Amino acid sequence: MMAKDLLSIVQTINTYKRYGKVSKVVGLMIESQGPESSIGDVCYIHIGTGTAKRKIMAEVVGFKEQHIILMPYTDIREIAPGSLVEASAKPLQIKVGPELIGRVVDSLGRPMDGLGIPKGMTTTNTDKSPPNPLSRPPISEQLEVGVRSIDSLLTVGKGQRLGIFAGSGVGKSTLLGMIARNTKADINVIALIGERGREVREFIERDLGPEGLRKSIIVAATSDMPALMRIKGAFTATAIAEYFRDKGQDVMFMMDSVTRVAMGQREVGLAVGEPPATKGYTPSVFSILPQLLERTGTNEYGSITAFYTVLVDGDDMNEPIADAVRGILDGHIVLDRALANKGQFPAINILKSVSRLMNELVSKNHQSSAEKLREMLSTYLNSEDLINIGAYKRGSSKEIDQAIDFYPHILSFLKQKTDEKISIDQSIDELIQLVGTGDKN
């Protein structure tokens, strides 16, 4: 490094440390007299005495007259009136690099296996702007996910963003693990936000498995963590995925679930005095969602193909978060509890699901085959009650007769074992063979 470079670094160093004092704590909100800080800056709250002295990280989330409002990344039990607050004048930054592959980190990018942060990694901000719309190449290439019903009927492109909408216990995590194991993407980045503590290890060992973990980085922010940690978990995972995209790689990004990120933002918003707007959600929830979800996708270097799970209350697909997310993403996959109860896995309701880019990615024959299968499935389900009670007589409708003949084969086609890996070419061949529309070329 040249002398003038060293001089410029020295000249930009801030030799002053700015401090303030805690004046008030209400719930999750910490009010402090000073220090001078900006929204999003990290501050350190000094607690304890003697050898037990340590710092708690907190983030500036608002202002009240001359006071700043902080939210902690950890618990606040040892904070006392007059506790010293030190400004860092920086937003949250994490270390990222290939050394993290195969490991589990927390919302601050710290490995949870106790082995420490590897050396030689790059420092990056967690909060970034989405790519310039004009720098995003059009999505033109299919990405294999290894799930027959998705590859054939809801074909995904490299850089596409989809939502997986379902109530609790319908198989979201199992489906994500299956995609992570089977996908042809270069690397998986998986954000587990608001999960129960026991579910993190279960997902890693049971759903993801050693094969999936070898090419994955997992960011875990469990339900017992403060709201800010759950929000930052989503931003940290996205920043990690962006790092690998900028290296020219095709990244598979998964977040389970974006609903819990929204719930965390609601807690923060209510704590700083935002009025509840739609069903208790504050306005900041609906501004943070596009900022987060638009960061994935393509840029001039690589791609991030993203799957975001959305918990729907009482299987209501029109609740506020589901409605907002569906409007941002490039498609949605609906998991149906009724299908899960019948033993179908994955329990994807094909008629309610859509990939907005599929018709631009597939051949005409593939497209017509998918449309024909949807048509036959719709015909059968519309007449299912009549068929089940014996009120329908064969010969009354050629379309219904055909749907009845094909329905068992369609069910068999849509089912897939969790350990079964099927290539996209095989999926398309089986679809075309099923509906009898010729070869895939």
Side-chain angles (χ1 to χ4, degrees), residues 9-71:
I9 292 171
V10 170
Q11 288 173 340
T12 57
I13 292 174
N14 188 347
T15 56
Y16 292 95
K17 283 193 175 182
R18 295 179 172 85
Y19 292 95
K21 286 187 177 182
V22 172
S23 59
K24 186 179 180 181
V25 175
V26 178
L28 299 173
M29 184 186 70
I30 303 166
E31 202 170 294
S32 169
Q33 290 180 310
E36 184 182 329
S37 295
S38 304
I39 294 288
D41 282 358
V42 172
C43 291
Y44 299 96
I45 303 173
H46 295 250
I47 60 172
T49 56
T51 56
K53 199 170 184 179
R54 61 189 181 92
K55 298 177 183 178
I56 287 178
M57 289 179 71
E59 185 174 308
V60 179
V61 294
F63 303 100
K64 187 177 180 181
E65 296 174 353
Q66 301 303 312
H67 292 190
I68 64 171
I69 299 171
L70 301 155
M71 296 283 284

Side-chain angles (χ1 to χ4, degrees), residues 345-365:
F345 179 84
I348 299 174
N349 188 321
I350 295 299
L351 299 180
K352 291 183 179 179
S353 305
V354 65
S355 168
R356 293 179 182 170
L357 297 176
M358 177 175 173
N359 291 346
E360 299 170 26
L361 300 171
V362 303
S363 67
K364 289 287 176 64
N365 201 22

Side-chain angles (χ1 to χ4, degrees), residues 139-167:
I139 296 170
S140 58
E141 191 177 346
Q142 297 176 15
L143 179 68
E144 181 177 318
V145 299
V147 179
R148 181 166 48 211
S149 53
I150 296 177
D151 281 336
S152 60
L153 300 169
L154 301 164
T155 308
V156 178
K158 286 183 180 179
Q160 189 172 351
R161 302 159 304 137
L162 294 101
I164 298 177
F165 295 76

Side-chain angles (χ1 to χ4, degrees), residues 117-384:
I117 300 174
K119 294 181 179 178
M121 296 203 299
T122 304
T123 300
T124 185
N125 290 341
T126 60
D127 198 354
K128 297 179 180 178
S129 299
N132 185 318
L134 298 182
S135 72
R136 290 183 183 266
I139 296 170
S140 58
E141 191 177 346
Q142 297 176 15
L143 179 68
E144 181 177 318
V145 299
V147 179
R148 181 166 48 211
S149 53
I150 296 177
D151 281 336
S152 60
L153 300 169
L154 301 164
T155 308
V156 178
K158 286 183 180 179
Q160 189 172 351
R161 302 159 304 137
L162 294 101
I164 298 177
F165 295 76
S168 56
V170 186
K172 296 184 301 300
S173 298
T174 307
L175 179 59
L176 289 182
M178 192 172 173
I179 293 171
R181 290 195 307 273
N182 296 343
T183 182
K184 292 292 187 182
D186 298 321
I187 183 173
N188 302 314
V189 179
I190 305 170
L192 302 177
I193 310 298
E195 294 287 316
R196 302 174 187 90
R198 66 168 179 82
E199 289 180 333
V200 173
R201 186 164 180 177
E202 282 182 9
F203 175 83
I204 295 167
E205 295 181 356
R206 184 189 63 196
D207 298 327
L208 190 60
E211 180 186 353
L213 185 60
R214 273 195 294 271
K215 63 171 186 177
S216 301
I217 300 172
I218 298 173
V219 180
T222 51
S223 57
D224 59 297
M225 292 183 176
L228 201 59
M229 283 289 270
R230 281 176 269 141
I231 298 167
K232 288 301 170 185
F235 282 83
T236 293
T238 305
I240 292 171
E242 287 171 327
Y243 169 84
F244 288 99
R245 176 180 64 186
D246 292 345
K247 295 292 183 184
Q249 294 186 303
D250 294 317
V251 183
M252 175 62 74
F253 180 76
M254 303 177 187
M255 185 183 294
D256 186 15
S257 70
V258 71
T259 307
R260 295 193 179 108
V261 178
M263 289 177 175
Q265 182 60 37
R266 177 174 62 183
E267 286 183 47
V268 172
L270 292 173
V272 299
E274 275 193 87
T278 310
K279 290 195 175 179
Y281 287 100
T282 56
S284 62
V285 173
F286 300 100
S287 66
I288 200 177
L289 285 175
Q291 291 171 18
L292 178 63
L293 303 183
E294 285 288 349
R295 286 171 61 180
T296 53
T298 58
N299 71 359
E300 61 267 42
Y301 306 111
S303 69
I304 301 174
T305 307
F307 285 88
Y308 297 93
T309 69
V310 182
L311 279 167
V312 287
D313 258 347
D315 296 326
D316 176 16
M317 291 298 298
N318 296 314
E319 62 97 25
I321 301 303
D323 203 39
V325 171
R326 191 166 53 242
I328 298 168
L329 300 180
D330 308 316
H332 51 272
I333 296 171
V334 178
L335 301 187
D336 195 318
R337 191 177 300 278
L339 295 177
N341 291 341
K342 291 178 182 178
Q344 179 178 319
F345 179 84
I348 299 174
N349 188 321
I350 295 299
L351 299 180
K352 291 183 179 179
S353 305
V354 65
S355 168
R356 293 179 182 170
L357 297 176
M358 177 175 173
N359 291 346
E360 299 170 26
L361 300 171
V362 303
S363 67
K364 289 287 176 64
N365 201 22
H366 180 181
Q367 183 181 337
S368 62
S369 299
E371 287 172 356
K372 187 169 182 181
L373 186 143
R374 283 175 178 270
E375 185 183 327
M376 287 192 292
L377 183 59
S378 176
T379 300
Y380 181 88
L381 294 177
N382 287 337
S383 310
E384 188 174 24

